[in-house]
Amino acid sequence: MQGKWALAAAIGLALAGCGGGGGDDEGSKPIGGSGAKYDGIYVEPNYLGMMLVDTGRTSQPVIIADFSTSVVMVADTAKLSNKKLTTTGLTLADGSSGSLVYSPAMQSNITFGNNSAKASIDLAGEVYSFDLTKAPDSLAVEAVSGSHLNYNDGAEWIINEDGTFTVNGTCTVSGTFERKDEYFNVTEATAVSCGSDDFEGKYTYGVIVTLSNQGSDYVAGVIGRKGNLLWGSAELSN
């Protein structure tokens, strides 16, 4: 099945057909080695979203987010064989319904080409796939620093050159980040004022990237922990 990434349809089916639950990242190992040549940010040029592949991460080596439809997929681990990356253990979230599901057995497959990738998820025999193109690395922090507004949801992103950030949105999220090759790795993040205690507190992982879509540049990010994901984006003001 092809579609708007087909990610939203896949996650919708998974949330309808699977029970919830939390993940456990213990025992995850970096892929390392030749997998590094496939690392980077991949995009579907028509939509505001990304797939981040980092084979050096000890956990969450693949994070896929469609910020236009507000759906996210995070993989626990991944194994590379030739040009095919198989991930195992998926957390799927749908912002429109507020639903999240985790399956330690669910898998996705990513096949790499020449500056491209095809990702697919097999759910109950229905394969959802989407094609992606490798994008430029995230902009330098100097180009991202400042205050940026998401005009759709009102969230304000404040990125500072000293490696700190704040997002004032559904929650107020503050934290620190550092440059890691193609993106920024979130080294610490805490959410407060979420309106629900379930989403407040410290988060254990996260990423921030910059994306270009239809002539505009955006800052976008995902933070997560067992049982929770937060994500969003904003158009760069500078």
Side-chain angles (χ1 to χ4, degrees):
M1 176 181 290
Q2 297 286 341
K4 190 173 182 179
W5 282 60
L7 183 62
I11 287 181
L13 178 61
L15 291 170
C18 300
D24 187 347
D25 295 321
E26 292 181 4
S28 300
K29 299 295 182 183
I31 301 166
S34 61
K37 67 182 179 181
Y38 301 120
D39 289 354
I41 300 166
Y42 295 80
V43 299
E44 207 294 343
N46 295 319
Y47 305 110
L48 181 60
M50 63 94 183
M51 176 176 73
L52 176 67
V53 177
D54 182 354
T55 56
R57 289 178 71 93
T58 56
S59 55
Q60 297 88 39
V62 177
I63 297 175
I64 303 176
D66 185 343
F67 300 103
S68 59
T69 58
S70 196
V71 292
V72 175
M73 183 188 90
V74 180
D76 283 354
T77 61
K79 181 178 181 180
L80 182 69
S81 178
N82 296 321
K83 294 183 178 182
K84 183 177 180 180
L85 189 69
T86 300
T87 74
T88 301
L90 298 182
T91 299
L92 308 174
D94 181 353
S96 62
S97 65
S99 301
L100 179 145
V101 65
Y102 171 75
S103 170
M106 193 181 298
Q107 294 186 326
S108 69
N109 293 297
I110 302 164
T111 303
F112 297 98
N114 184 19
N115 291 321
S116 65
K118 185 181 184 70
S120 62
I121 310 170
D122 188 341
L123 296 171
E126 183 80 40
V127 177
Y128 295 81
S129 61
F130 36 99
D131 297 311
L132 304 148
T133 302
K134 197 165 190 180
D137 296 348
S138 293
L139 298 172
V141 66
E142 293 82 5
V144 186
S145 64
S147 175
H148 316 289
L149 184 65
N150 184 314
Y151 294 99
N152 293 320
D153 63 18
E156 180 189 28
W157 288 60
I158 302 171
I159 307 293
N160 301 307
E161 290 188 32
D162 64 1
T164 60
F165 74 94
T166 302
V167 180
N168 295 306
T170 305
C171 298
T172 296
V173 179
S174 59
T176 58
F177 64 88
E178 60 185 13
R179 184 79 191 204
K180 190 176 189 299
D181 300 321
E182 302 88 358
Y183 67 100
F184 301 98
N185 184 51
V186 174
T187 52
E188 182 179 352
T190 301
V192 298
S193 303
C194 296
S196 170
D197 292 343
D198 293 342
F199 290 95
E200 297 184 356
K202 292 187 177 182
Y203 283 70
T204 56
Y205 66 88
V207 299
I208 296 173
V209 300
T210 64
L211 303 169
S212 294
N213 182 255
Q214 299 183 4
S216 298
D217 292 325
Y218 295 82
V219 59
V222 177
I223 62 171
R225 65 186 179 191
K226 183 177 180 179
N228 292 112
L229 285 170
L230 295 173
W231 63 90
S233 64
E235 186 174 352
L236 293 181
S237 60
N238 46 328

